[in-house]
Amino acid sequence: MSPDPSPVPGLPQQDEERRLRELGYRPVLARRMGGFGNFAISFSVISILSGCMTLYGFGLNTGGPAVMLWGWAGVGLFVLCVGLALAEVTSAYPTSGALYYMADRLGGRRWGWYTGWLNLLGLLGAIAGIDYGAALFAGAFADLQWGFVPTPGRTMLIFCAVLLLHAVLNLFGVRVVSLLNSVSVWWHLAGVALIVGALAIVPDHHRSPSFVFTTFVNDTGWSNPLYVAAIGLLLAQYTFSGYDASAHLAEETSRASVSAAKGIVRAIWVSWLAGFVLLAGLTFAIQDYDATRTTATGVPPAQILLDGLGTGGARALLLVVIVGQLFCGNAEVAAASRMVFAFSRDGALPGSRLWRGVSGRTQTPVAAVWLSVGAAAVLALPSLCSATAYDAVTAINVIGITPAYAIPVLLRLRAGDRFRRGPWHLGRWSRPVGWIAVAWVTCVTVLFCLPQSSPVTVGTMNYAAVALGVVLLLASVWWYVARRSYGTPTAAYGSDRDQAELAEGII
């Protein structure tokens, strides 16, 4: 299933700036990111130190060790199919707009419009979810270190400080973002090795392989084990999101037609392997299952570290996790801001003229960065009143991003021979892998919307379906307001709007 590196008929080998002009855009972003940096941003956004650690408590209650480990293995395989199929389309359309631009070119304006809004709301929800999760872990660390009590108000202040840090880091330009993401790769891999190594060596007691790979736990209130196992798959699926970041940074990546596609695929399979090792290491080291599930820290992995390594070791490794989560949030702000920039460039957002502005000094979409962190802050505000609100933010993330991954793939399959593939493609495997990807996303989107606890109350309700409905309603309403201003360019070297504004000196 290796990509064919040879020139493709109708798509000669050429520099990426010329390719971008052929797609209709004038290059305004700095192309200073290499192939490793492009892979690193998706790997950082997936962030096993964020997803696996934050959702580990969910897994303990929803299927337990068996579903966590075998679910991770199975879900990772299906997500790899989604990534392969999406990478093929990315190679043909390497632009910052990524998913919505692909859908627009392959299916028309409405396909692009709805894909863009799903993707955008998912990315903004991801910033809120990742950075709020980092704030929760930071609060747990401060509690261990200084006896700090992480009230909702204090957690919100930490969250806002994290958002501000990520905004400032992203204003320095893509070279700094790329450097931080490259460091993030090694931090994550070394962090997993350190956590698993410490938990393997220090504790006197470890769980047996049969416990880790066969124990099923149901604390959801539902009686059907198949239903519970299906819901338990969401730990892995929640974590395996955000790999479209490589596509959003395509206009800032050298040899993007190949590098962005490879970045998506590599980020998934490296996270797949490292995440399995991390989950297994944590589960083998559980000392008291019930105490871990109901820990006073509110963070079950922190309890595993406390029981196995003592307070000093737990604090040190918790700090490793927090730094990994900070890397993750910073990468997500970069990806979301490029989506805001691209969507505004095509006239889809209110105030598009402002949000598509690019700094002449750093060639960074400054206003888009601030909008991204500002919107994330607003999305997380309800968490001051209810812990359920954080679950709703997570729902906005996954229910927006996941369907958006499948839409360009479905449209590419529907296009058949009309699709002009890029230099990275799957050859004869394109259609079977594509249909597997579409089928998986369809199934998992249904799973996202199912209730996860019984009885279903306001506090235990799964808000994913509500989030999806709200996103689609808002997109539909705004379509009738902005449909005349929205549109991807149809001519080489930029849209008519770009040409007019270039003459006016606006961009």
Side-chain angles (χ1 to χ4, degrees):
M1 202 180 296
S2 299
D4 182 356
S6 62
V8 178
L11 185 61
Q13 297 287 4
Q14 56 202 350
D15 70 82
E16 295 294 338
E17 304 290 42
R18 181 180 173 189
R19 175 59 181 149
L20 187 59
R21 287 182 169 89
E22 287 186 346
L23 293 174
Y25 295 114
R26 184 176 67 89
V28 294
L29 301 176
R31 201 174 288 275
R32 295 172 181 165
M33 181 176 283
F36 184 82
N38 187 276
F39 145 73
I41 192 167
S42 281
F43 180 78
S44 297
V45 172
I46 292 174
S47 184
I48 51 178
L49 288 179
S50 180
C52 291
M53 301 295 275
T54 303
L55 294 163
Y56 191 80
F58 172 84
L60 290 176
N61 294 317
T62 315
V67 174
M68 278 198 285
L69 272 296
W70 292 114
W72 183 273
V75 170
L77 181 61
F78 283 114
V79 171
L80 184 60
C81 289
V82 178
L84 286 164
L86 185 62
E88 181 177 57
V89 189
T90 297
S91 180
Y93 302 108
T95 73
S96 295
L99 309 182
Y100 88 84
Y101 181 86
M102 303 171 197
D104 188 290
R105 306 315 292 169
L106 292 168
R109 294 174 70 230
R110 286 214 183 194
W111 280 106
W113 177 267
Y114 282 99
T115 303
W117 278 102
L118 286 171
N119 192 201
L120 178 61
L121 268 294
L123 288 168
L124 296 177
I127 297 174
I130 292 165
D131 282 0
Y132 197 84
L136 289 172
F137 270 73
F141 173 82
D143 186 16
L144 291 175
Q145 183 69 33
W146 302 293
F148 174 88
V149 179
T151 63
R154 289 177 173 180
T155 301
M156 182 60 66
L157 288 176
I158 298 172
F159 167 68
C160 290
V162 171
L163 285 177
L164 181 61
L165 171 66
H166 288 155
V168 171
L169 289 174
N170 271 271
L171 296 180
F172 284 109
V174 73
R175 185 166 291 173
V176 172
V177 171
S178 182
L179 174 62
L180 290 172
N181 289 327
S182 297
V183 174
S184 171
V185 172
W186 303 114
W187 184 276
H188 275 78
L189 295 178
V192 169
L194 186 61
I195 292 169
V196 174
L199 290 175
I201 295 170
V202 177
D204 295 328
H205 169 72
H206 290 90
R207 296 286 181 165
S208 67
S210 90
F211 172 86
V212 172
F213 293 104
T214 65
T215 300
F216 180 84
V217 176
N218 177 13
D219 193 33
T220 64
W222 299 109
S223 58
N224 189 321
L226 292 179
Y227 182 89
V228 175
I231 296 299
L233 298 178
L234 296 182
L235 179 152
Q237 188 62 53
Y238 279 135
T239 305
F240 280 117
S241 64
Y243 44 85
D244 57 314
S246 289
H248 289 295
L249 272 291
E251 291 183 33
E252 296 159 89
T253 301
S254 301
R255 299 185 67 243
S257 296
V258 173
S259 296
K262 286 184 175 179
I264 292 171
V265 177
R266 286 174 177 168
I268 293 171
W269 72 257
V270 173
S271 298
W272 186 20
L273 296 178
F276 187 86
V277 172
L278 177 59
L279 289 174
L282 287 169
T283 309
F284 271 109
I286 293 175
Q287 303 299 304
D288 185 324
Y289 198 93
D290 289 332
T292 299
R293 285 193 303 153
T294 59
T295 174
T297 67
V299 181
Q303 190 63 48
I304 294 174
L305 298 176
L306 279 169
D307 292 342
L309 308 176
T311 304
R315 281 199 298 254
L317 293 184
L318 204 55
L319 194 58
V320 170
V321 173
I322 292 168
V323 173
Q325 292 173 334
L326 293 177
F327 278 127
C328 173
N330 188 65
E332 188 64 49
V333 169
S337 62
R338 271 53 177 189
M339 174 61 193
V340 169
F341 158 76
F343 218 25
S344 299
R345 180 173 59 182
D346 291 327
L349 297 182
S352 286
R353 179 184 290 262
L354 171 62
W355 310 124
R356 64 174 171 255
V358 175
S359 167
R361 183 174 61 86
T362 63
Q363 292 179 274
T364 298
V366 173
V369 169
W370 287 114
L371 177 61
S372 298
V373 297
V378 172
L379 285 175
L381 278 177
S383 297
L384 282 169
C385 304
S386 170
T388 306
Y390 178 65
D391 297 333
V393 169
T394 304
I396 291 172
N397 169 18
V398 297
I399 205 65
I401 283 183
T402 306
Y405 289 156
I407 293 173
V409 176
L410 175 63
L411 295 174
R412 176 262 177 275
L413 293 169
R414 195 179 70 169
D417 294 337
R418 292 188 294 108
F419 173 71
R420 294 174 57 191
R421 63 190 186 185
W424 195 102
H425 60 85
L426 301 175
R428 69 178 184 275
W429 292 98
S430 178
R431 294 189 69 81
V433 170
W435 283 116
I436 291 172
V438 172
W440 173 250
V441 170
T442 301
C443 290
V444 84
T445 300
V446 173
L447 289 182
F448 280 140
C449 296
L450 296 177
Q452 297 167 4
S453 300
S454 177
V456 179
T457 65
V458 173
T460 63
M461 180 179 173
N462 182 356
Y463 288 91
V466 177
L468 179 61
V470 169
V471 171
L472 294 177
L473 176 62
L474 291 175
S476 298
V477 170
W478 188 247
W479 168 260
Y480 289 100
V481 176
R483 67 185 184 278
R484 290 184 180 85
S485 63
Y486 165 73
T488 57
T490 56
Y493 200 74
S495 64
D496 294 339
R497 179 172 56 251
D498 284 342
Q499 296 293 344
E501 294 187 354
L502 178 61
E504 297 173 12
I506 295 173
I507 59 175

